[in-house]
Amino acid sequence: MGFEWLFKYPREAYAQGELTFAGDFGVLWWGVAAVLLTLGVVFGRRVARFSMLRRATVYLLQLAAIAVLLTLIAEPVLEVTRLAPGANTVAVLVDSSRSMALPAGIDDETRMAVAKRLIGDEIEAASGGSRVALFHFNHTLRQANTVAELQAEGKRSRLLESLADLATHYDQGALAAVIVVTDGAHNGGTIGWETLTETGIPVHSVGIGPADIPGDVELAELVLPTRASPHTQVSARLVIRHSSPDGEQIRLRVLDGESVLAAESITLDPSSPRVATDIVFPGGGAGLKEITVALEAPPGDPLPGNNVQSALLDVERERYRVLYLEGEPRWEFKFIRRAAAEDDDIELVTWLRTTPRKTYRQGTSDPNELADGFPKSLEALYRYDMVVLGSLPATSLNDEQHDWLARFVAERGGGLLAMAGRHALDNGGWDVKPLAQALPVAIARPGEHLSYRRGNYRVHPTDVGLRSVLTDIGGLESREGAWETLPMLADHQNLGTPKPGATVILEAFGGIGIRGADVVVRGGSAKPLLVTQPYGYGRTAVLATASTWRWRMRTPPEDTRHSLFWRHLIRHFAGAALPRRSLSLAADGDALDVRVALKNPRFEPLTDTAVTVQVTAPDGESFDVALPRIAGESAFGETIPAANPGIYRVEMAGIAGPARSEGGRPGALAALARVGEANLEQFGATLNEPLLQRVAQATGGRYWRPDDLSELADALAFSSAGIHERQQLPLWNAPLLFLLLLFLKCTEWSLRRYWGGI
Amino acid sequence: MGMTVKGLLVAGTMILAGPLPAQEVDYADEDGITMSDHELWPTRIEYDSVGGQRQAYYFYDGRWWQRWETDFPQAEQNFAKRLNELTAVNVSRVPLRRRLTHPALGDSPLIFMSDVGYMELSKPEIDALRTYLANGGFLWVDDFWGDAEWASLERAMTQVLPGKRWITLPIEHPIFHTVFDIEVMPQIPARDFARWGQGTTEPSFEHRRPTGNMRTPSIRAYTDDDGRLMVIATHNTDIADGWERESYGEWYFENFSTKSYRVGINVIVYALSH
C-alpha cells in the first residue's frame, strides 16, 4: 500500500514497465535549466564565507533540487502493457478434493467455504475487465458453471497435473492468469516444472488451511522395499508427522493381514514435528503380501485415517554373489564362509592367499573364475553384487583393479566391505588408492605402530545402529540385550574419524583383557567398529575387527547371532546392488507409471532398443504395451490407464533392436502395484505453503494468503500473459518526487541555519 | 583354581596400577603369556588316560610323560615356526595346553590331541567337546596306531557324537590339496623307530594290543551335515613327531619331517578355510 501511494502505481507496473519521458528537451527546458543554474550560482555567492566542505554540501543539495525540478518539467512516464479490457480470461481453479472439507482455521469455516467466499467477494472483483472461468480439480480437471456447485468430494488432489493441463489445453480465449485456491495437499504424481513454466501463464496460488492440525499424528511416509528374500528381516522406513506438545508415546505395529509382524513404541519429540524411524520385521515365506503399518491413534486424533499406510511386498528368492578376497588364512574367513553357507541365497566366492606364492579358491562356478586372483575384466567383476576385502595389502592389486573396485561401488552399485587385519586399511596402504575415497572413514597413512591390535572389546550398537537391520541379530531378548551378552571381540583396528555423511552402526569399548576368565578393565572412549556410507550408486562399510568368529565359538551351538549378523550384512550390501535390468511400477491415481532401465554387462545404459511389457489387470485380462524411451533419460517408460481398482502385474515381455543381445532375456522381470482405494486425502492435510509458493514463483505469479488479496487486482491487471494494450502512466505528480524536493530544500535550509549563513 | 587366582592377581595388579591406556597392555592369557598379534595358537588338549606305566604314562628321554603330552611342546613350536616361514598363517610359537572343559577353549578353533590309545574322557569333557565341534571347532587326533588304540578313540568319540560314522578320506579329498598336492598319505614313525632300509611302521610292542594291521596310514574323519571335516584322525602315523624331530638328523628331516609339514600345512589351511 505504501509503495503504491509513494510511486502512484503498484509494484507489478514498475516490474513490467519502462521509465521514460513524455516531454521533449527543447528550448524551454534548456532555458529553465539555465535560469535555475544561474540563480543557484548567484545565490551561492552568499555562502562564500563557508568552508569548502560546507559550500560543496549546499551546492550539491541545490543541484539535486534543480535536477528534480527539471525531471518534473520533462514529464516522466511509466510505459506499461496492461490487459486489454474484455479480451482476456482469468481461470480460477478450486481444489475440490476431500481435504477441502476440513476446517480452514478461520471462523470454523471449511476450506471449501472459504474458497467460495473468496471467489464471490474478492477474486471475481479483482479480475477487472477479464472474464472469469471457473474450474475445479481433484483427480481430474473439470470446468464448473457456478461456485455453488463446487463440492469437496474428490479422493485425490492432482494439483500439479491439473495446473499443467489447464495452462496447456485451455482454448476458450486468451488466458491471462490462473488463480488456484487450494490447501496444497498434492497427492498426485510429479511433473517437470518446465511444463508449468513453459506455458508462460502466471499462476497465483491462494493457500487455505492451517499450517498445523492440533492433536493430529500422521504416518506421513512408508518406504518399503518392493522385494525381499524369504525368511529374512525387512526394514521399513517411516516418517511420522505430529503436533504433540507433550512428548507422548505411541504404539507402532507392522501387520500382514491380521498377523502382527513387529511392534514397538515411539516417543514423539515435541521439538521435532517430523520423526523418521526404521522398523524391522520378518518378511516370512515367499508370496505377495500387503504390509500394513499402523500407528495407534492417540485419543482425540482429529484425522485417525492418516495413521495407517500399506505397501506391497513381493517375497521371492534372490541370489547374491559375493567375492571375498583374503590375504591370510584366519578364523574370520572360515566363520564368514560358514555363516554365508547357512543362507541358500548367498553365493560366496573366495580367494585366499595361503602362502606367498599360492592361493586357494572356493565357491567358484568354473575353473577359470579367479584363476588370476582378481576378476580378469570389469565385466567379470560386475558379475558380483558385493566385494569383501580381508587382510589384503593394497599392493596385491594393480592400479586398474583398484579403479575397477571404486567403479564397482560408484557405477555398478555394488556393496563393498573392508575388514580389519594386519594387512588391511592403513596397515595395508589403502590410504592412497582410489577406493579410499569410497570408504566411510579417512584411511590414515601407515604409521610406525600398527593400528590393528589384539584385546578384549565389548560391542554396542549406536542409537542409529539400533534401528538398523544390520544390528537385528535375533534372540528372545531386546536388541540391546542381544548385543550386550555377545562374547567380546579379540581385536580392533583404529579407524580414525568417520567421514561426514557416514553412519556409525557399531562401536567398540575396552581394549584390555585377560583371556579365559574374561576379566576386563573397561575404559576408553567408544571406537567406531562398523561404519557405513552410500557412495555413488552403491554402499561401502568398514568393519574394524576380524574376530566376530568369537560370537560363534564362545556361545552355545543354537545361538545364531554370528550367522545372522553376517547374513544381514551381506544381504544389506549385496541386496542394494543395481540390477542390470529393472522394472519399476507405481500406481498414480487411476494410472500406472511403468519404467524399465536396461544396462549392458559393463552397466552402461542400453538405449538403442525397444521394450514391450505385458500388463495383467486385476480381472486377469492381459495386454501388451510398447514403452517409448523417456526423453532425456536412458530409460523407457509409459503411463498406462488402470481403471479397475486392485493389483496390477506388469512383466517385461520383449526386447528388440540392436542392443538385444546385451540386454539379456526378458525373463521373469515383473512388478506389482495396487491401484485405488487409498485414503489419501487425510495425509498431508495441512497447508502446504512451500509447494504453493514454488508454483507461484516458477510461473511468475504470487502466493497469497486468503486474508490479504487487496493487491490481486493490480497483479492481474499487469499480468504478463494474455492480450495487452500499451499505456503511458504519468509520474510527474507522484508524491515521491514532491517529497524528495521538499526534503532537499528543507535539509539545505536547516544546514545553513545551523551554520549561520541565512 | 590356579587359573582363577592368576586371573584375579592380574586384574588386581591392573586395578592397583590405576587405569591403563587401552593399547599399552597386550592381550594375555591366564598364564600371563603375551598373545599379541597372532591369529592361531597351537593348542594341545590335556586329557586323562587309563592304566599304569607304559599305558597312561611312560618314561622316555630321562623323564615321565603323560600320554597327552607326547611330542609337546617341541612339535608345536617347530610347526609354528615352519608355518610362519612357509605360509601366510600368523601363528604363535608359544603353544597352549588346555583341558576340554577350559572356558576359553572356543578361542582355539583348532585343537590337537596326541597318543590317544589309552584316553578316557569324563562326562563334562565329552559335553564340552560336543559343543566345541557343534560350534565349528576342528579336532585333529594324531599318533595312535593299530586297532586297539583306534578303538579307544572310537569309543570316546561315539560318546561325543553318537550316530556319526567315520569315513576314510580318499587322496582326492581337498584336505590333501589345499596347499601341497599330496599323492600318498605318509606314514611317519617316531624318530626312534625310523631306521634306514627298514619299514616306516612302528613296532607293535610299543602300542596297545591287539594292534592288528599298522602298515596303512590314513586320515579318518567325521564330517558335519554340510560335508565339512570336523574331526580328523591321522591313524597309523605320527605326524607331530616329524615336526618335533626335524633337527635330529638330515635323513629323518628329508624323509619324514618334510612330509609331516606338508600334511600339517594342508590340515591347518583346511581348518582355517572350511
Side-chain angles (χ1 to χ4, degrees):
Chain A
M1 193 65 187
F3 182 91
E4 193 169 339
W5 184 86
L6 275 176
F7 291 88
K8 202 182 167 195
Y9 303 107
R11 288 173 199 272
E12 285 78 7
Y14 283 89
Q16 182 232 53
E18 191 178 336
L19 280 171
T20 183
F21 293 95
D24 59 358
F25 293 87
V27 178
L28 177 63
W29 190 88
W30 285 111
V32 172
V35 169
L36 288 173
L37 283 171
T38 306
L39 284 174
V41 169
V42 171
F43 181 75
R45 291 176 65 185
R46 296 180 59 187
V47 295
R49 56 196 168 89
F50 286 175
S51 67
M52 183 64 78
L53 179 64
R54 292 182 176 181
R55 265 186 295 169
T57 305
V58 171
Y59 277 131
L60 281 174
L61 288 168
Q62 287 181 349
L63 280 174
I66 292 169
V68 172
L69 277 173
L70 289 174
T71 302
L72 291 173
I73 293 170
E75 296 182 48
V77 293
L78 184 63
E79 204 165 87
V80 295
T81 55
R82 302 181 72 148
L83 289 181
N88 292 286
T89 301
V90 172
V92 178
L93 181 59
V94 182
D95 184 347
S96 59
S97 66
R98 287 179 179 172
S99 64
M100 291 295 283
L102 297 172
I106 305 171
D107 298 335
D108 296 331
E109 288 182 291
T110 66
R111 299 172 192 183
M112 180 55 88
V114 172
K116 289 179 177 180
R117 178 167 55 77
L118 290 177
I119 293 168
D121 293 352
E122 300 189 56
I123 293 177
E124 287 186 346
S127 62
S130 298
R131 189 175 76 86
V132 173
L134 187 61
F135 293 85
H136 69 102
F137 74 93
N138 39 66
H139 68 286
T140 56
L141 173 71
R142 291 193 177 89
Q143 191 153 11
N145 296 316
T146 63
V147 172
E149 72 181 65
L150 297 176
Q151 300 294 327
E153 294 177 339
K155 293 180 180 177
R156 292 181 77 91
S157 304
R158 303 185 73 189
L159 169 64
L160 298 178
E161 296 92 329
S162 301
L163 279 173
D165 196 15
L166 179 64
T168 52
H169 295 105
Y170 183 75
D171 59 357
Q172 297 167 27
L175 192 58
V178 175
I179 302 169
V180 59
V181 187
T182 176
D183 55 15
H186 170 70
N187 51 38
T190 56
I191 60 166
W193 286 96
E194 65 275 10
T195 309
L196 279 179
T197 56
E198 279 172 1
T199 63
I201 310 289
V203 176
H204 296 270
S205 51
V206 181
I208 300 175
D212 178 40
I213 301 176
D216 182 39
V217 178
E218 173 187 343
L219 179 56
E221 287 180 35
L222 166 62
V223 182
L224 201 63
T226 53
R227 286 195 174 88
S229 294
H231 308 295
T232 57
Q233 298 290 307
V234 181
S235 178
R237 166 136 290 227
L238 316 176
V239 175
I240 299 168
R241 196 157 39 203
H242 70 97
S243 55
S244 166
D246 306 322
E248 64 187 307
Q249 205 171 55
I250 57 165
R251 192 79 177 149
L252 186 67
R253 290 184 302 157
V254 182
L255 302 117
D256 175 14
E258 298 291 318
S259 307
V260 178
L261 304 178
E264 64 179 68
S265 296
I266 291 177
T267 303
L268 301 176
D269 180 1
S271 64
S272 175
R274 282 172 65 88
V275 178
T277 185
D278 293 320
I279 185 166
V280 177
F281 62 90
L288 177 66
K289 301 166 187 213
E290 185 158 22
I291 301 298
T292 301
V293 178
L295 302 178
E296 197 171 277
D301 187 344
L303 296 174
N306 64 17
N307 295 357
V308 180
Q309 283 213 47
S310 297
L312 290 173
L313 178 67
D314 195 6
V315 179
E316 63 175 6
R317 196 169 170 202
E318 279 190 68
R319 295 282 291 174
Y320 306 109
R321 294 197 82 228
V322 180
L323 171 62
Y324 180 5
L325 304 170
E326 182 53 81
E328 58 176 314
R330 52 184 189 162
W331 297 121
E332 193 73 343
F333 176 83
K334 163 182 176 149
F335 285 95
I336 289 174
R337 283 189 52 81
R338 285 182 164 237
E342 290 179 26
D343 194 324
D344 292 340
D345 296 335
I346 296 174
E347 184 182 339
L348 184 63
V349 181
T350 57
W351 176 91
L352 170 66
R353 178 162 295 289
T354 55
T355 78
R357 290 189 169 274
K358 289 192 175 186
T359 62
Y360 187 59
R361 292 175 290 152
Q362 292 168 273
T364 51
S365 54
D366 66 70
N368 294 323
E369 188 172 7
L370 302 182
D372 295 337
F374 196 81
K376 291 178 183 173
S377 64
L378 195 62
E379 291 92 327
L381 177 62
Y382 281 8
R383 288 190 197 113
Y384 300 98
D385 299 307
M386 180 182 181
V387 173
V388 179
L389 296 173
S391 183
L392 191 74
T395 51
S396 301
L397 309 178
N398 62 36
D399 288 346
E400 186 178 42
Q401 291 166 339
H402 279 281
D403 183 52
W404 288 354
L405 273 180
R407 291 174 63 186
F408 172 78
V409 181
E411 297 175 11
R412 190 252 180 275
L416 187 134
L417 171 66
M419 292 173 58
R422 289 189 304 153
H423 309 303
L425 304 174
D426 56 328
N427 289 346
W430 288 89
D431 59 305
V432 294
K433 296 299 179 183
L435 197 62
Q437 295 177 4
L439 296 177
V441 294
I443 304 294
R445 298 302 310 274
E448 291 181 4
H449 302 288
L450 292 177
S451 59
Y452 178 68
R453 304 280 298 190
R454 307 279 173 178
N456 279 322
Y457 295 88
R458 282 266 177 235
V459 181
H460 291 298
T462 60
D463 289 342
V464 176
L466 274 173
R467 299 209 165 272
S468 166
V469 71
L470 297 174
T471 61
D472 186 20
I473 53 174
L476 294 175
E477 61 255 275
S478 65
R479 194 178 289 198
E480 293 98 323
W483 284 92
E484 182 67 33
T485 54
L486 271 176
M488 286 182 287
L489 297 173
D491 62 351
H492 181 267
Q493 187 155 5
N494 190 14
L495 296 181
T497 307
K499 290 178 182 173
T503 305
V504 179
I505 303 291
L506 296 174
E507 292 176 327
F509 296 82
I512 305 171
I514 305 304
R515 190 159 176 261
D518 280 350
V519 178
V520 176
V521 176
R522 291 175 183 272
S525 57
K527 306 168 180 66
L529 186 74
L530 176 61
V531 189
T532 70
Q533 77 167 14
Y535 182 76
Y537 287 117
R539 296 173 181 170
T540 60
V542 174
L543 181 63
T545 185
S547 55
T548 64
W549 58 267
R550 265 188 150 194
W551 300 344
R552 172 62 283 156
M553 284 302 298
R554 299 200 68 172
T555 54
E558 61 275 13
D559 193 311
T560 57
R561 287 178 290 181
H562 173 265
S563 166
L564 283 175
F565 172 75
W566 278 103
R567 290 168 64 181
H568 285 323
L569 193 64
I570 291 173
R571 281 175 172 276
H572 180 71
F573 283 89
L578 295 178
R580 269 185 59 203
R581 301 173 305 138
S582 68
L583 189 156
S584 62
L585 182 63
D588 179 13
D590 49 6
L592 295 168
D593 285 334
V594 186
R595 184 186 172 93
V596 169
L598 302 173
K599 293 187 171 71
N600 67 14
R602 292 172 68 89
F603 275 72
E604 294 157 343
L606 286 176
T607 54
D608 191 14
T609 186
V611 176
T612 309
V613 293
Q614 184 183 59
V615 181
T616 305
D619 58 6
E621 184 189 349
S622 295
F623 53 93
D624 285 354
V625 177
L627 302 185
R629 187 173 166 196
I630 301 172
E633 295 189 36
S634 50
F636 305 84
E638 184 63 287
T639 301
I640 303 169
N644 300 326
I647 295 175
Y648 283 76
R649 177 184 172 85
V650 174
E651 184 172 0
M652 194 156 79
I655 304 172
R660 180 178 180 178
S661 58
E662 289 192 306
R665 292 180 300 106
L669 189 61
L672 300 146
R674 175 182 284 283
V675 170
E677 297 174 1
N679 183 23
L680 288 172
E681 282 299 304
Q682 293 208 358
F683 291 90
T686 51
L687 174 62
N688 189 353
E689 250 179 358
L691 176 68
L692 299 179
Q693 286 170 340
R694 195 176 167 201
V695 166
Q697 190 179 15
T699 57
R702 276 178 64 182
Y703 172 71
W704 306 85
R705 289 290 303 167
D707 54 357
D708 186 16
L709 295 175
S710 58
E711 296 178 23
L712 179 61
D714 289 328
L716 292 176
F718 294 99
S719 184
S720 57
I723 298 171
H724 295 87
E725 62 182 17
R726 203 165 185 77
Q727 289 183 349
Q728 283 193 338
L729 307 178
L731 290 175
W732 69 268
N733 53 355
L736 178 73
L737 292 174
F738 291 101
L739 287 175
L740 182 60
L741 193 60
L742 194 64
F743 169 75
L744 291 170
K745 293 314 289 179
C746 286
T747 306
E748 181 198 339
W749 181 83
S750 300
L751 286 174
R752 288 175 59 198
R753 171 107 181 153
Y754 182 69
W755 292 333
I758 212 162
Chain B
M1 186 62 184
M3 178 173 59
T4 308
V5 170
K6 279 182 181 171
L8 291 173
L9 281 173
V10 177
T13 306
M14 287 179 174
I15 292 164
L16 288 174
L20 297 175
Q23 301 203 344
E24 288 189 9
V25 176
D26 282 325
Y27 187 54
D29 79 349
E30 74 282 7
D31 297 322
I33 299 170
T34 296
M35 308 293 289
S36 64
D37 199 29
H38 289 114
E39 180 68 22
L40 186 149
W41 306 294
T43 305
R44 177 64 70 94
I45 294 301
E46 187 178 343
Y47 60 85
D48 296 326
S49 293
V50 294
Q53 187 181 353
R54 295 182 59 81
Q55 295 172 328
Y57 55 94
Y58 57 93
F59 190 84
Y60 175 74
D61 209 13
R63 55 161 279 201
W64 291 98
W65 298 71
Q66 298 180 71
R67 287 283 171 192
W68 71 265
E69 59 181 332
T70 297
D71 305 332
F72 183 83
Q74 190 66 48
E76 280 88 346
Q77 288 170 347
N78 288 351
F79 186 36
K81 180 182 176 186
R82 296 301 181 193
L83 272 170
N84 282 323
E85 287 173 350
L86 298 172
T87 74
V89 184
N90 179 23
V91 191
S92 168
R93 292 189 62 188
V94 181
L96 305 177
R97 44 183 280 193
R98 292 271 188 266
R99 302 292 303 197
L100 286 169
T101 50
H102 194 286
L105 186 69
D107 283 350
S108 300
L110 185 150
I111 53 177
F112 189 83
M113 298 173 91
S114 183
D115 212 350
V116 294
Y118 296 88
M119 178 176 73
E120 185 158 292
L121 300 180
S122 67
K123 178 73 168 57
E125 286 174 324
I126 287 168
D127 293 341
L129 182 55
R130 186 183 304 119
T131 298
Y132 174 86
L133 295 173
N135 277 342
F138 189 95
L139 168 63
W140 183 0
V141 186
D142 182 51
D143 191 13
F144 64 119
W145 300 67
D147 294 348
E149 292 184 3
W150 172 258
S152 168
L153 174 68
E154 191 172 37
R155 231 179 356 259
M157 293 308 297
T158 300
Q159 298 175 74
V160 174
L161 298 171
K164 281 278 180 195
R165 295 176 63 86
W166 290 99
I167 58 169
T168 301
L169 300 184
I171 205 68
E172 295 80 21
H173 191 276
I175 202 168
F176 292 107
H177 306 281
T178 49
V179 177
F180 298 104
D181 283 322
I182 296 171
E183 305 297 336
V184 177
M185 178 63 194
Q187 186 169 58
I188 312 295
R191 186 254 183 194
D192 289 347
F193 306 121
R195 297 281 188 274
W196 187 85
Q198 297 180 7
T200 54
T201 306
E202 291 189 357
S204 59
F205 62 81
E206 283 294 326
H207 294 280
R208 190 170 182 175
R209 282 184 283 272
T211 57
N213 175 20
M214 298 200 304
R215 292 183 181 280
T216 309
S218 64
I219 299 183
R220 298 179 186 180
Y222 274 165
T223 61
D224 64 16
D225 294 341
D226 295 311
R228 295 173 301 221
L229 304 182
M230 56 201 305
V231 180
I232 65 165
T234 42
H235 184 230
N236 288 343
T237 188
D238 188 356
I239 301 294
D241 217 60
W243 310 332
E244 184 193 15
R245 309 291 179 169
E246 68 155 57
S247 60
Y248 278 46
E250 194 173 323
W251 176 79
Y252 186 82
F253 179 82
E254 287 179 354
N255 284 278
F256 298 107
S257 294
T258 53
K259 293 174 182 172
S260 285
Y261 282 127
R262 284 157 62 96
V263 171
I265 286 171
N266 273 19
V267 170
I268 294 294
V269 170
Y270 181 92
L272 280 159
S273 59
H274 286 77

